[in-house]
Amino acid sequence: MSNREKIIGVSHLVKKFGNFTANNDLNFEVFKGEIFGFLGANGAGKTTAIKILCGLSSPTSGTVMVAGWDVGKYPDRVKERIGYMSQRFSLYNDLTVKENFRFYGGIYGLSASAIKERTSYFLKKLEMEQTRDMVLSKIPLGWKQKLAFSVAIMHDPQVVFLDEPTGGVDPITRRQFWELIYETAHQGTTVFVTTHYMDEAEYCERVSIMAEGRIVALGTPAQLKENYNAQTMNEVFVKIAR
Amino acid sequence: MTRPAFIRFNHIKKQYGTVEALKDVSIDVIQGELFGFIGPDGAGKTTLFRILTSLVLPDAGSAFIGSLDVVKDYKKIRKSTGYMPGRFSLYSDLTVEENLQFYARIFKTSVKENYDLISDIYRQIEPFKKRRAGDLSGGMKQKLALSCALIHNPEVLVLDEPTTGVDAVSRMEFWELLKKMQKKGITILVSTPYMDEASLCDRVALMEHGELLAVDTPACIEKSFTGNLLAVKSNQMYGLLSDLPAGRQVLEQFPDATQVFRFGEFIHITFQSENTAGIIEDLTNYLKSKGHQEIQISPIKPVIEDCFLALMDQPAKR
């Protein structure tokens, strides 16, 4: 693992809001092409950490390197090199599929020809070419999730952050979504993902679990299950977070 | 299930524009039951709950709670039901205490009168009673919403996805609270997209695209699963995913395999054949020929998610 290229490096990250310490000395690394599961109970400090990693919030102290840049000092450099997909798809419901690609492609600074090429590439891959000129609101939820993911990686980021990407989708689409994640990681993009589905934690290469602002467990699902003498990741999570 | 129905949905239909949210849905719920509606977004769970709580009118069909018609007797229906919508809908700028008092007063009762009913839940947020509801954490908001839904001592509690986006531990604690409410005689209807929560209900309705896929106890649904289920694992999951691609009737080498889906660290394969030992041998040989090692294949019992996957529409319709 250590000879793999490091994409995220977090060292002694502390984030305070007044007297409240949301992130209390976080230390971890994530590598190129890795699927990294970022788990924790509600209120454990996950969202705070993700915001910092994405350059939306700055650390109180500590160093956070993402895609080769110090997020605290160069948040804009980081933003250009990452993709982000939020819980409830970040696409515009009143734009067509093509327009959504064009809008985000423009924000990421892609050329018109690159946007065209990437749009065609993803629509073909998802077998959704017939949706190109459809308004997003007319498209089923499962398809939207896959589109939102494609839009988040259309500028070929070094790392993509997925915040509960599969909430509310049906069990087949959920699995198809994870196949997309696998494929993306296999092509070298690092995937940083949060989820409340514990079976999805098993799909990650490594998993960290946060509680009360700290990372209390970090390892492969197999290691964590062994360390906590548990059959499933759900049991591990319950033992840690309860 | 010889006890009489308490809540009845009879041939309910509801359409929004061209979308058929509910296509002829009929369900009976028995008094005191903890009844789950399990399905993804767009299944029709919310629409069904809104019809029951008199917030939406059905296009066709009828629904009753006891002898009360949800359309004609809507005022009485509102008194006898407590509803917790999917989206947080209390007053963010009122404090915890003020929200609770407000809901008590709307129903012409007082917090004091029904405190016993909510004490288990409310005690957990009482230390923050002076805090504005908008400043609460997700878990605390959920507990406050449940307290407000219960404060008028309803006969029926209707909870729309109370555990969505909630972590595994808080979800477990929430279900424990529901069991306690059930013991007080309240009939509970709860919807969830988490298939594993089905086992916590007395009976469940599996729903998709406005239709019922199955209505029964979780055990009976699992028992009605057709075929033999195997869990497969090897030393290389990525290879396994391409050698055993997910879907229905996807394995050329194994025409008997009706569905293949990943479940955590395993792949579940359903075979419509009784010769389990033969299949395991064939499958092991196939995976060995693809270069897999440490192959583990064992027969397992289906869980609700296996059943749901088997009952779902073909992916083409999605």
Side-chain angles (χ1 to χ4, degrees):
Chain A
M1 184 79 70
S2 55
N3 48 20
R4 280 167 75 175
E5 187 188 337
K6 202 195 294 177
I7 297 295
I8 295 175
V10 175
S11 170
H12 301 294
L13 167 61
V14 174
K15 179 69 181 181
K16 290 185 181 177
F17 297 104
N19 290 327
F20 177 67
T21 307
N23 288 163
N24 191 353
D25 194 22
L26 304 189
N27 295 282
F28 63 93
E29 292 170 337
V30 185
F31 300 95
K32 183 175 165 66
E34 186 175 19
I35 302 175
F36 188 82
F38 197 59
L39 311 183
N42 300 110
K46 297 193 302 287
T47 306
T48 302
I50 291 176
K51 277 189 176 166
I52 292 170
L53 287 166
C54 292
L56 300 174
S57 165
S58 46
T60 305
S61 64
T63 315
V64 179
M65 299 291 291
V66 176
W69 292 86
D70 183 332
V71 183
K73 291 189 188 123
Y74 305 100
D76 291 344
R77 292 281 91 84
V78 168
K79 284 179 202 166
E80 289 164 10
R81 287 162 175 77
I82 63 170
Y84 175 76
M85 177 183 162
S86 73
Q87 236 149 347
R88 291 281 146 154
F89 32 82
S90 26
L91 303 181
Y92 287 89
N93 258 321
D94 45 359
L95 296 183
T96 64
V97 169
K98 191 175 75 182
E99 287 165 346
N100 268 292
F101 273 104
R102 203 166 75 202
F103 177 75
Y104 280 99
I107 284 185
Y108 286 125
L110 298 187
S111 68
S113 63
I115 290 173
K116 217 171 166 181
E117 187 263 314
R118 294 297 274 169
T119 306
S120 299
Y121 167 79
F122 284 112
L123 290 182
K124 190 165 179 212
K125 198 181 77 164
L126 298 174
E127 294 173 10
M128 284 169 58
E129 282 147 315
Q130 75 281 17
T131 66
R132 184 185 294 261
D133 294 309
M134 281 169 70
V135 175
L136 206 77
S137 58
K138 301 285 181 208
I139 290 177
L141 172 79
W143 291 14
K144 282 190 207 172
Q145 303 284 83
K146 291 180 204 163
L147 281 172
F149 180 66
S150 303
V151 165
I153 58 170
M154 76 180 288
H155 58 300
D156 214 2
Q158 294 190 40
V159 48
V160 60
F161 293 88
L162 308 174
D163 195 359
E164 288 183 45
T166 55
V169 307
D170 69 74
I172 289 183
T173 310
R174 196 154 75 81
R175 287 171 172 78
Q176 290 170 342
F177 195 89
W178 271 91
E179 284 183 14
L180 283 179
I181 292 181
Y182 257 71
E183 202 184 306
T184 305
H186 209 67
Q187 289 166 356
T189 304
T190 302
V191 179
F192 190 97
V193 59
T194 73
T195 180
H196 288 309
Y197 288 97
M198 287 303 130
D199 59 335
E200 294 184 350
E202 307 268 7
Y203 304 167
C204 302
E205 212 172 314
R206 284 187 307 147
V207 164
S208 76
I209 302 180
M210 279 191 78
E212 293 172 359
R214 290 175 179 275
I215 289 179
V216 289
L218 176 66
T220 65
Q223 282 166 352
L224 294 182
K225 281 185 281 186
E226 198 183 316
N227 294 350
Y228 287 88
N229 194 18
Q231 293 295 316
T232 61
M233 280 305 291
N234 193 55
E235 271 180 53
V236 172
F237 188 84
V238 168
K239 281 186 177 174
I240 288 175
R242 198 163 209 186
Chain B
M1 289 300 156
T2 46
R3 284 180 294 162
F6 176 54
I7 296 172
R8 284 172 296 155
F9 294 99
N10 298 323
H11 301 291
I12 297 278
K13 288 183 189 171
K14 181 71 189 179
Q15 195 158 341
Y16 295 109
T18 56
V19 180
E20 288 179 274
L22 292 170
K23 307 169 189 168
D24 195 13
V25 171
S26 299
I27 301 179
D28 288 346
V29 178
I30 291 155
Q31 192 149 28
E33 240 184 335
L34 175 49
F35 194 101
F37 293 79
I38 319 272
D41 288 1
K45 310 183 299 286
T46 300
T47 304
L48 201 63
F49 282 3
R50 287 189 178 153
I51 288 171
L52 184 68
T53 48
S54 85
L55 301 173
V56 163
L57 297 173
D59 295 337
S62 55
F64 297 89
I65 298 179
S67 59
L68 300 176
D69 180 319
V70 298
V71 179
K72 288 188 204 117
D73 306 313
Y74 73 93
K75 283 191 177 164
K76 286 181 184 160
I77 287 281
R78 289 177 190 181
K79 275 201 177 136
S80 60
T81 53
Y83 175 50
M84 183 171 153
R87 203 181 285 172
F88 181 71
S89 35
L90 302 179
Y91 293 91
S92 298
D93 47 358
L94 295 185
T95 64
V96 167
E97 199 174 30
E98 286 166 345
N99 266 296
L100 195 59
Q101 283 164 355
F102 175 78
Y103 280 94
R105 219 169 293 159
I106 281 185
F107 287 104
K108 301 195 169 71
T109 179
S110 67
V111 174
K112 205 172 149 193
E113 198 173 329
N114 292 312
Y115 188 80
D116 273 359
L117 195 59
I118 61 159
S119 62
D120 279 336
I121 310 157
Y122 190 65
R123 225 180 286 136
Q124 299 175 33
I125 49 173
E126 213 161 16
F128 312 100
K129 64 184 180 186
K130 300 287 180 201
R131 193 180 287 187
R132 293 196 324 172
D135 299 333
L136 295 176
S137 72
M140 287 199 280
K141 275 182 182 160
Q142 190 195 36
K143 282 169 189 150
L144 177 59
L146 185 59
S147 303
C148 290
L150 278 168
I151 196 62
H152 59 295
N153 193 9
E155 282 181 273
V156 178
L157 190 57
V158 181
L159 309 168
D160 196 1
E161 297 205 10
T163 54
T164 293
V166 175
D167 69 73
V169 171
S170 307
R171 276 164 54 194
M172 208 162 78
E173 288 171 357
F174 194 80
W175 278 93
E176 284 165 10
L177 281 177
L178 291 190
K179 295 269 179 200
K180 278 190 188 169
M181 291 299 123
Q182 187 190 16
K183 288 210 177 83
K184 297 185 186 196
I186 301 174
T187 306
I188 303 174
L189 277 65
V190 57
S191 67
T192 177
Y194 296 104
M195 304 277 152
D196 58 346
E197 293 183 346
S199 62
L200 303 166
C201 303
D202 297 330
R203 283 194 306 148
V204 294
L206 305 186
M207 290 184 81
E208 195 201 13
H209 299 323
E211 289 176 297
L212 300 174
L213 304 176
V215 180
D216 214 326
T217 62
C220 283
I221 289 177
E222 286 166 3
K223 221 185 267 174
S224 65
F225 185 82
T226 52
N228 283 323
L229 191 62
L230 299 178
V232 182
K233 194 180 159 181
S234 84
N235 62 332
Q236 35 166 328
M237 184 45 104
Y238 192 74
L240 211 50
L241 289 175
S242 51
D243 295 331
L244 297 173
R248 293 202 179 92
Q249 311 282 2
V250 282
L251 304 180
E252 269 173 38
Q253 308 81 351
F254 301 98
D256 273 352
T258 41
Q259 67 178 32
V260 181
F261 287 110
R262 188 169 181 195
F263 275 73
E265 60 179 323
F266 297 99
I267 289 185
H268 286 189
I269 309 185
T270 310
F271 281 95
Q272 302 302 330
S273 153
E274 297 301 318
N275 181 10
T276 309
I279 289 165
I280 292 181
E281 198 185 324
D282 291 350
L283 201 54
T284 309
N285 288 334
Y286 167 72
L287 292 175
K288 272 185 187 160
S289 75
K290 294 282 180 183
H292 290 270
Q293 289 166 354
E294 298 166 45
I295 300 163
Q296 278 181 42
I297 304 176
S298 39
I300 53 159
K301 283 189 176 157
V303 294
I304 287 289
E305 194 158 351
D306 292 298
C307 303
F308 197 97
L309 283 161
L311 294 166
M312 273 175 79
D313 275 352
Q314 291 299 313
K317 276 182 80 177
R318 195 146 296 103

